[in-house]
Amino acid sequence: MYFRISDIKNSDFIGKEVSIRGWIHRIRKQKENSFLLLRDERGDVIQIVYPSFKTDNLTIESSIGVKGVVHKDKRAPEGGYEVRGSDLDIYNLSQIDYPLGEYTSIDLLLEYRHLAIRTRRMTMISKIRSSLLRYLRDWFVYNDWFEITPPILVRSSVEGGSTLFKLNYFNDFAFLSQSAQLYLEAMIFSLGPVWSLSPSFRAEKSRTVRHLSEFLHLEAESPWVTLADLLKVQEDLISSTVSNVIKERKNEFEFLRIDTSKLENITPFSRMTYREAIDLLRNKDFKVVYKGSPRPIEYGDDLGIDAEKLLTENSHVPIFVTNYPLKIKPFYVKVDPNNEEEGLAADLLAPYGFGEITSGGLRESNLQQLTKRMMLEGLVSSDYEWYLDLRRYGSVPHGGFGLGIERLLRWILFMTDIKDTVPFPRTMSRINP
Ligand code: 4AD
Ligand code: MG
C-alpha cells in the first residue's frame, strides 16, 4: 500500500515504515548520502535520504517508488519530516535534458506548459481552480437551479461579429459559441432558472492580460427576475464561493503568498451607474484615445481596462456598474422604460484594479424592439428566427449573466496575467501545447 505524502507528515508515522511514490523534484548528492525531494501526484513533497551509491543514476523528474522509515528532523525542508530510504523502485529514469529549471523564462514555461503544470505553483493554482468550480456548482445545486449543457457549434453570434471563430460545417459554415446565453434563454420556459458551464470562444485580436481566445464561461438565466434580483444572485454566488474556496484552500493560498484577508468581508458589493462612473473618471482626469489623440472620457464611451482599473483600484469590494447606454451594449439588452437611451444591464468589476468579471442584465422581451435592434446590428434574421420565436410564443420578463472563470480566478489569485489561471491557455499566439 502506498501512502500520500500529506498523510505521513504526521507524528503518528514517526518510526514507521512506509511506501510512497512520485517524481524527483530536486536532488542533492553528497559524499555519503543523497537528499531527494520527492513530489507525489498531489503536489506534496517530502525529503528522502538514501546512501549515495543508490542514487548514482537518478535524474530530475524520474518516477520512483520509495520504501523507508519516517523520521522527524528539523533540518528537513517543508515541515521537518523525512524518509530514510531503504528500497528504491525506478518506474522511469527521466532523460537528463529536462527542459525546465528554477530560472526558466516565462516564454519557455508556456512552450513546455505540459511539463510546467507539474510545478508546485501551477499545482496550487489548479487545486484552487477545481475548488472554485466545485463551490460555484454547489451554489446552484443548493439554490435549485438546473444545470444545462448548451451547444458549442452554433450559427448565431451573441457578442458581435468581430470576435467570431468561423469554421467549415459540412457544406456550410458555423461558429464556435461566444456565449450560451441565447440557448439558456430558450431553456427557462421549461426549467425555470438554469445555468451552464461551458467553453466560450472569442477571436480576440488584441493581446491583453485579461483576454483568452477560449475561456470557461459560467452563465445563468432566469424567468421573472428584476435587475436587483440578478445582482443579488451574483453577490451571493460569488461571495459564498470565494469564502468557501479560501477556507478549503488555505494552504494553497499561503504557498502562493496571497493575502486572503483581501478576499474576506467583500459584501455588500457596491453599486454605481454608468453615468456616475463616467463622472468619477472625468473628475480623475481620465482620458481615452479618440481618432489618434487623447480626450477626456465622455458619456457613451466604453469602459476599457484602464478605466475599470481606476474605478476599482481603491475598492476592497466588487462594484456593479449599471444602466449602460444601449449603443455600447449588445442587441439583447432591455431598454430602461424610464430612459430610452439606456439599458437595464450591469457589469461586475472586481476590486483592486482587476475590473470586469461578469456581464448581464435583463433581456429585451418585446419582439418589435428586439427585431429593430437586431437590424441595427446587421444580424441576419434567418439565423435568429428560432430566437425570435421565444418572443413570439409566451415571452416573459427574464435576465441573466455570464461570469468568466479565469477572470474570477485572476482576481482571487491576484495575478496579472490571465494565462496563469488556466493549464493550457489559448491566445492569439498560442494553440500548442
Ligand atoms: O461580457 P461578455 O461578453 O457577456 C456575454 O457573453 C453575455 N452573453 C453573458 C450572459 O449574459 N450570459 O462575457 C461575459 C464574461 C465577461 O464578463 C468576462 O468575465 C468573460 O466572460 N470574458 C472573457 N474571459 C476571458 N477572455 C475573454 N476573451 C473573455 N470575454 C469575456
Ligand atoms: Mg462584458
Side-chain angles (χ1 to χ4, degrees), residues 51-63:
S52 286
F53 71 87
K54 277 199 174 224
T55 63
D56 272 351
N57 54 352
L58 291 185
T59 47
I60 290 285
E61 290 302 316
S62 292
S63 43

Side-chain angles (χ1 to χ4, degrees), residues 159 202 308 324 328-330 332 346-348 356-360 402 407:
E159 299 299 322
R202 306 281 168 98
E308 288 180 5
Y324 283 83
I328 59 167
K329 282 286 174 192
Y332 51 73
D347 279 8
L348 180 62
E356 180 185 338
I357 55 173
T358 81
S359 277
R407 291 278 184 94

Side-chain angles (χ1 to χ4, degrees), residues 213-324:
S213 39
E214 176 178 343
F215 66 96
L216 193 57
H217 205 170
L218 185 154
E219 293 177 89
E221 197 72 29
S222 176
W224 323 113
V225 283
T226 63
L227 188 60
D229 295 336
L230 282 175
L231 303 195
K232 189 80 200 101
V233 167
Q234 294 177 61
E235 180 178 289
D236 210 37
L237 168 71
I238 292 169
S239 61
S240 73
T241 299
V242 169
S243 136
N244 284 322
V245 171
I246 59 178
K247 238 179 271 149
E248 183 175 77
R249 293 294 161 202
K250 191 170 174 293
N251 294 341
E252 286 76 8
F253 279 99
E254 249 168 50
F255 179 92
L256 295 168
R257 295 176 202 278
I258 295 165
D259 174 7
T260 49
S261 72
K262 286 184 168 165
L263 299 169
E264 284 160 9
N265 305 315
I266 55 170
T267 54
F269 293 0
S270 60
R271 280 164 208 202
M272 65 173 80
T273 62
Y274 167 87
R275 189 179 285 282
E276 286 165 346
I278 294 292
D279 289 344
L280 236 148
L281 290 165
R282 285 178 72 93
N283 285 337
K284 293 189 180 186
D285 206 23
F286 185 80
K287 296 202 166 55
V288 291
V289 178
Y290 183 72
K291 291 186 177 160
S293 45
R295 64 147 170 78
I297 193 166
E298 287 173 4
Y299 183 93
D301 287 336
D302 247 324
L303 300 179
I305 294 186
D306 294 331
E308 288 180 5
K309 194 166 173 190
L310 198 58
L311 289 172
T312 60
E313 65 190 358
N314 294 320
S315 181
H316 173 74
V317 300
I319 304 172
F320 281 115
V321 178
T322 64
N323 302 71
Y324 283 83

Side-chain angles (χ1 to χ4, degrees), residues 2-3 5 8 18-22 38 46 48 64-66 83:
Y2 290 91
F3 284 98
I5 287 175
I8 63 170
V18 294
S19 293
I20 49 180
R21 53 189 168 183
L38 187 76
I46 192 166
I48 316 287
I64 61 170
V66 173
V83 172

